[in-house]
Amino acid sequence: MPYPRLNFLFEAIDFDGNDAVVVNDHASLSGMNYLTQEAWVYMRSFAGGPVVMGKNNSYDLYMNGGSGTLYTDYKSASGGSVPQNAWAQIVMTYNG
């Protein structure tokens, strides 16, 4: 489902668990030595291990289905827990 372009402060996209924003693939999105992924999320549920963002299982940023622990497929890293029913900024950085 296409979403409108967000042009104003304090706007967000509300995902109900079956939505996605798709960005076309590009050569510049492959073979990176450095990567930072960042998002503001409000998690209502961790059911199904929700993916926040990613590229075809190359560098998915996702949460464990039960605990909300943050994981990434990129270099198989994991991090802290994301709170439920509260806004949180999540960031994953890889520096070669």
Side-chain angles (χ1 to χ4, degrees):
M1 169 180 201
Y3 285 94
R5 183 177 171 160
L6 303 176
N7 293 314
F8 304 102
L9 293 175
F10 310 112
E11 286 194 62
I13 299 172
D14 186 12
F15 295 98
D16 65 7
N18 298 312
D19 301 311
V21 172
V22 177
V23 177
N24 291 331
D25 193 15
H26 189 272
S28 66
L29 299 174
S30 298
M32 294 179 281
N33 293 321
Y34 309 97
L35 175 67
T36 298
Q37 294 172 286
E38 184 271 339
W40 279 94
V41 297
Y42 186 100
M43 299 306 301
R44 294 181 188 98
S45 169
F46 300 123
V51 175
V52 176
M53 67 179 74
K55 179 186 178 230
N56 299 328
N57 298 316
S58 296
Y59 46 83
D60 286 348
L61 187 60
Y62 62 97
M63 285 159 236
N64 176 284
S67 67
T69 300
L70 193 60
Y71 290 89
T72 180
D73 290 338
Y74 195 75
K75 306 297 181 183
S76 301
S78 64
S81 292
V82 176
Q84 198 167 354
N85 298 314
W87 281 103
Q89 181 183 28
I90 57 174
V91 180
M92 186 284 296
T93 301
Y94 178 75
N95 189 6

